[in-house]
Amino acid sequence: MFKVDSSMYYFDHLLCSLLGNSIGTNGTERIADALKVNTTLQVLSLELNYIGPEGGVAIGDALQENKSLQTLNLGFNRIGGKGAIALGNALQKNFTLQDLNLIGNSIGPQGGIAIGNALKENNSLLSLNLELNYIGPEGGVAIGDALQENKSLQTLNLRRNAIGWGNGIAIGDALQRNNTLTILNLQDNNLGDNGAVAIGTAIRNNKNCALVTLNLRLNRIGDKGAIALRNAIQKNSTLQDLKLFLNDIDPALRDDIDALLRRNR
């Protein structure tokens, strides 16, 4: 087990990885205290350390003061909605963090809403990983609303979040206006044809859409949704990679879509 002591306060390296050290809440609170005064650390990984909600709160509080950290990995730490709310509050004040990984933290709808609200204010974050957090329809709406206003986020991973087709429409509405997102992962969210049609419509209508990679695997999309996506790509010149595996789409439609994507590469 890694021992967290006062040396963290004077840590002068650019990168620190403490992955899988069972630091727990108490150790995380010590690290958070150090982050409040540290001015050199740029990359910190605390993945798989069981920091819990209180640890998430401690890191959130530290980020309101820290001005050097650019990349933070808190994957699989059970921070829950409480920890995500603290991080959301921090993102409204911290404008140096560029990459935040929250995969597998069960932040739920409450956490999704908090992060969504933060994205409306934050214009420094470039990459956000919310995979496997079950933010649900409410969180999906919050993230969609935020994407209509956010001007910085380039990579967003929402894989396996139970967003549902109704709020896939909210993501589609966001893409009508968003001009910065280049990589979007929506795999396994039960978006269905309605969600795919909304996304396709957005890609077709938004002449400044920046999407290059879109993952729609395992979303119960049929021919209706695939036709909307094909029609969109016919008028779009930026999308190069569209993942549609594990959907019920006619092979001829897949071939049409693949040909259009090759044209864009």
Side-chain angles (χ1 to χ4, degrees):
M1 181 184 296
F2 179 83
K3 181 180 179 182
V4 179
D5 57 29
S6 59
S7 65
M8 283 292 295
Y9 288 80
Y10 310 104
F11 197 77
D12 61 357
H13 290 67
L14 299 180
L15 182 151
C16 178
S17 177
L18 301 176
L19 185 151
N21 274 286
S22 300
I23 292 170
T25 300
N26 291 337
T28 304
E29 289 173 346
R30 297 290 298 276
I31 291 171
D33 287 342
L35 285 175
K36 291 178 180 179
V37 297
N38 184 283
T39 59
T40 58
L41 191 65
Q42 295 180 10
V43 180
L44 174 62
S45 176
L46 296 178
E47 185 172 341
L48 283 168
N49 272 293
Y50 309 106
I51 73 174
E54 297 303 329
V57 170
I59 295 296
D61 289 347
L63 288 177
Q64 295 202 34
E65 300 184 34
N66 181 276
K67 305 300 180 189
S68 65
L69 200 65
Q70 297 177 18
T71 298
L72 175 62
N73 182 356
L74 294 178
F76 301 104
N77 269 304
R78 305 175 184 173
I79 68 169
K82 184 176 182 179
I85 289 171
L87 290 171
N89 290 337
L91 289 174
Q92 296 189 46
K93 298 181 179 180
N94 180 298
F95 299 107
T96 53
L97 194 68
Q98 297 178 13
D99 185 342
L100 177 60
N101 185 353
L102 295 178
I103 184 174
N105 271 290
S106 299
I107 69 173
Q110 188 180 35
I113 291 169
I115 298 297
N117 289 337
L119 290 176
K120 292 180 180 180
E121 304 294 330
N122 182 289
N123 279 306
S124 61
L125 200 66
L126 302 177
S127 177
L128 175 62
N129 187 353
L130 293 178
E131 179 176 341
L132 201 63
N133 271 294
Y134 305 104
I135 66 174
E138 300 94 333
V141 168
I143 298 295
D145 289 346
L147 290 176
Q148 295 196 39
E149 299 183 31
N150 183 273
K151 305 300 182 187
S152 66
L153 200 64
Q154 298 175 9
T155 300
L156 176 60
N157 185 354
L158 293 174
R159 181 183 177 193
R160 296 189 68 183
N161 269 293
I163 291 172
W165 67 264
N167 298 296
I169 294 175
I171 300 295
D173 289 344
L175 292 176
Q176 296 263 15
R177 297 179 61 182
N178 184 282
N179 301 325
T180 57
L181 205 60
T182 59
I183 300 173
L184 176 60
N185 188 347
L186 292 169
Q187 180 173 331
D188 195 9
N189 272 292
N190 195 27
L191 299 180
D193 280 334
N194 289 336
V197 168
I199 291 169
T201 301
I203 293 172
R204 185 184 70 233
N205 292 343
N206 184 355
K207 294 181 180 179
N208 295 313
C209 180
L211 273 181
V212 175
T213 299
L214 175 61
N215 185 351
L216 294 176
R217 287 190 183 111
L218 198 62
N219 268 298
R220 300 185 180 181
I221 297 169
D223 290 349
K224 179 182 177 182
I227 288 170
L229 291 166
R230 180 195 63 188
N231 293 344
I233 303 169
Q234 287 176 338
K235 295 188 176 182
N236 172 279
S237 61
T238 59
L239 192 64
Q240 299 179 18
D241 185 10
L242 174 59
K243 297 174 173 63
L244 290 170
F245 187 59
L246 296 175
N247 287 294
D248 189 18
I249 299 171
D250 184 273
L253 269 175
R254 287 179 180 271
D255 290 344
D256 287 348
I257 290 170
D258 287 343
L260 289 166
L261 293 171
R262 287 194 296 273
R263 178 205 66 188
N264 285 351
R265 290 173 190 151

